[in-house]
Amino acid sequence: MSNASLSPLPSADRPDVTARLRDALLGASFTADGLLELLGAPAYAALSRSETVPALRATRGDTPLELLVRLFLLQQPVPHARVAAVLPVDVCLESGWLDRAGDDEVAATVDVRPYGGPGGEDWFIVSDLGCAVGGAGGIGNHAEGVVLGVGGASTTLAGLTVRTPVSAALDLGTGSGIQALHAAAHATRVTATDVNPRALHIAALTLALSGAPAADLREGSLYEPVADDETYDLIVSNPPFVISPGARLTYRDGGMGGDDLCRSLVQQTGERLNEGGFAHFLANWQHVEGEDWTDRLRSWVPRGCDAWIVQREVQDVTQYAELWLRDAGDHRGDPAAYQARYDAWLDEFEARKVKAVGFGWITLRRTDAAEPSVVAEEWPHPVEQPLGETVRAHFDRVDYLRDHDDAALLEAHFTLAGEVVQEQVGLPGAEDPEHVVLRQNRGMRRATRVDTVGAGFAGVCDGTMSAGRILDAIAQLVGEDPVALRDRTPAQIRLLVEQGFLEPA
């Protein structure tokens, strides 16, 4: 399906109209909070599952907010006279935000979804019709150049990103502009690229309607529009990472073989980052027969960068193919065509000896350290979003541990991180537990098994005594040689610091 099937977009060069429209939306409480209050939690949650019936039932009244939800979020035509009482309807029609539907109704030309910023900002994400509700699952037709609204991947990446004031930020594959919008809140200058000119137009609308500064929008694939000497303090990308045969859908299919797009993106990032700068990506990667996935991902990390790679999910090739065939709506079409496309996916994986596909996060930080830290781990468990501060703290701990050998660790002082609890596991009535687990209730919500010395050590870390003195006291308490205890415990201390259970005082 070509771009010809997509509706014309509102003008991106009418800041006067955009400002008036924004004021009208805010005046009617067409915000994330207002939406939740109007719809109620069940109907609000149903939207993320692409189910609109509960929201339609909740907006059968005649208030301005109900009218705007039907118009911009649920794609329902509404009476012209009612819209005129809420919006500057004539200029919205003239500038392309609205279109006439029949004799006495108007309809939106784009979806507009209220979105709450991290600082309580009232933002609006613009997307193609049918794309504001439920991300990819809410799309009615999959035109080639369609631009999605807010999906789970978008919010995951936004939550992962380290949010510190920076001079220059780069959003690769901006889509609807949600990552550029977040970056504009803490970056002096934001550049956004996309291979799809329609996405750049919609990103400009998102920024303007949200009252954010305009970004430098450039057409082209990934780093192509960026000059060789341009560097950034922050780079983010939710790229078209789907590993597929061909490139049917611009928003998801990168057009390179296998996971080459994600690999190229990560590998090219090192030279674009300023010292201390962060890069955050969502990615898919192949699990190839005879190859450890962590080795594959480690080979992507550019020189001069620390990396933290987290695999959140793994699907076998049949699950993966079915997921994205459903995403494209192929399961609702001709069964023979569906089977042929399914075969093509499996042929592609078989040729590449791919047995499964991993999905997760990749964070780089430019350090130019003599010995870069590359952590690749699997963590499919629930985490606490936003994680940006947790990500920043991970790399701070990397620096600390790189600068402290075992002798320095024993001289250091530590405190137990907040909201860490201890769990003891063993048979009922047993004198001693079989093992002890420390568990975090914040951030990554990790759990790690420790011995009784490790548990006792962590429990008394309040910053007042050095690690060595604590171990000496434990040795005296349990009747163990203090020298031997000092020799064998730094590895456990290092692990507890690395995973965020202990913090340098």
Side-chain angles (χ1 to χ4, degrees):
M1 203 176 292
S2 70
N3 285 2
S5 63
L6 296 171
S7 63
L9 294 173
S11 171
D13 301 319
R14 294 290 304 273
D16 56 328
V17 176
T18 308
R20 290 179 64 187
L21 177 57
R22 173 176 169 77
D23 288 344
L25 297 178
L26 293 176
S29 297
F30 187 63
T31 63
D33 289 341
L35 200 62
L36 179 59
E37 183 176 352
L38 170 69
L39 300 182
Y44 189 81
L47 290 177
S48 67
R49 303 190 300 270
S50 308
E51 298 291 349
T52 59
V53 172
L56 286 167
R57 291 173 61 86
T59 56
R60 290 180 293 190
D62 202 33
T63 67
L65 179 55
E66 289 169 305
L67 180 95
L68 294 177
V69 172
R70 290 199 301 272
L71 180 65
F72 284 118
L73 197 58
L74 302 177
Q75 305 127 48
Q76 302 295 305
V78 296
H80 181 287
R82 286 293 297 120
V83 177
V86 181
L87 299 177
V89 64
D90 291 337
V91 293
C92 285
L93 284 165
E94 182 263 332
S95 59
W97 285 96
L98 300 176
D99 200 2
R100 295 192 180 276
D103 294 334
D104 60 354
E105 291 186 318
V106 297
T109 58
V110 289
D111 280 357
V112 177
R113 177 157 190 169
Y115 181 82
E121 302 93 343
D122 288 318
W123 290 340
F124 301 98
I125 308 300
V126 180
S127 61
D128 271 313
L129 287 174
C131 299
V133 173
I139 300 174
N141 72 52
H142 280 66
E144 182 183 328
V146 72
V147 180
L148 301 191
V150 181
S154 302
T155 54
T156 293
L157 179 60
L160 285 173
T161 303
V162 174
R163 301 294 176 192
T164 56
V166 296
S167 296
L170 174 63
D171 175 16
L172 297 170
T174 190
S176 65
I178 181 173
Q179 307 304 329
L181 179 58
H182 274 278
H186 63 103
T188 304
R189 176 172 57 89
V190 176
T191 302
T193 73
D194 205 291
V195 70
N196 183 4
R198 187 176 182 87
L200 296 176
H201 189 132
I202 284 180
L205 296 175
T206 290
L207 290 165
L209 193 59
S210 298
D216 180 1
L217 302 172
R218 305 181 189 180
E219 183 179 346
S221 177
L222 303 178
Y223 286 113
E224 285 177 5
V226 180
D228 291 341
D229 60 349
E230 287 184 275
T231 57
Y232 299 86
D233 308 299
L234 173 66
I235 298 174
V236 295
S237 184
N238 177 15
F241 53 65
V242 176
I243 299 171
S244 60
R248 289 174 60 203
L249 301 173
T250 305
Y251 73 86
R252 70 170 206 191
D253 301 323
M256 296 187 186
D259 53 16
D260 283 355
L261 183 139
C262 291
R263 175 186 56 79
S264 299
L265 173 61
V266 174
Q267 287 180 337
Q268 294 173 21
T269 295
E271 60 194 31
R272 305 290 188 177
L273 273 178
N274 292 326
E275 174 72 18
F278 282 93
H280 304 273
F281 309 110
L282 301 184
N284 278 184
W285 45 79
Q286 298 172 151
H287 284 230
V288 179
E289 292 179 15
E291 176 186 73
D292 190 304
W293 74 268
T294 62
D295 292 337
R296 183 180 193 85
L297 272 292
R298 288 174 187 275
S299 73
W300 293 7
V301 178
R303 293 179 59 185
C305 288
D306 292 334
W308 186 16
I309 301 160
V310 181
Q311 180 166 270
R312 295 287 289 158
E313 185 179 1
V314 180
Q315 292 184 318
D316 67 45
V317 291
T318 59
Q319 292 174 310
Y320 189 80
E322 291 160 14
L323 169 68
W324 295 109
L325 287 166
R326 287 194 301 271
D327 171 81
D330 292 324
H331 61 304
R332 296 191 294 267
D334 175 41
Y338 174 83
Q339 182 175 341
R341 287 193 170 122
Y342 200 150
D343 264 333
W345 283 72
L346 296 186
D347 285 344
E348 178 85 3
F349 287 133
E350 186 176 340
R352 295 178 176 275
K353 298 183 177 180
V354 176
K355 57 184 180 179
V357 177
F359 168 81
W361 320 320
I362 299 174
T363 298
L364 305 177
R365 184 189 57 163
R366 182 66 183 265
T367 61
D368 294 318
E371 296 184 13
S373 166
V374 178
V375 176
E377 61 176 325
E378 185 162 14
W379 190 254
H381 311 294
V383 299
E384 179 191 39
Q385 281 278 32
L387 268 177
E389 189 59 26
T390 299
V391 172
R392 184 198 59 76
H394 166 87
F395 288 96
D396 286 347
R397 294 193 299 270
V398 165
D399 286 341
Y400 180 87
L401 292 172
R402 189 157 41 206
D403 293 340
H404 288 72
D405 59 16
D406 287 355
L409 282 183
L410 293 175
E411 293 298 320
H413 295 236
F414 300 97
T415 58
L416 186 65
E419 296 194 41
V420 172
V421 297
Q422 176 179 304
E423 300 173 356
Q424 296 187 172
V425 181
L427 294 173
E431 184 174 341
D432 297 311
E434 292 179 16
H435 59 264
V436 178
V437 172
L438 299 182
R439 187 178 301 278
Q440 300 168 347
N441 287 316
R442 302 297 305 274
M444 292 292 285
R445 293 178 173 155
R446 295 186 185 279
T448 190
R449 184 171 171 173
V450 294
D451 59 21
T452 53
V453 170
F457 178 87
V460 298
C461 279
D462 61 4
T464 60
M465 295 173 61
S466 70
R469 287 188 61 196
I470 292 174
L471 290 178
D472 290 343
I474 291 176
Q476 185 175 9
L477 185 66
V478 300
E480 188 169 340
D481 178 9
V483 175
L485 194 59
R486 278 174 172 256
D487 285 344
R488 70 176 174 85
T489 307
Q492 191 167 192
I493 297 174
R494 191 171 292 275
L495 178 65
L496 292 174
V497 173
E498 179 183 314
Q499 295 191 345
F501 290 92
L502 294 179
E503 299 173 348

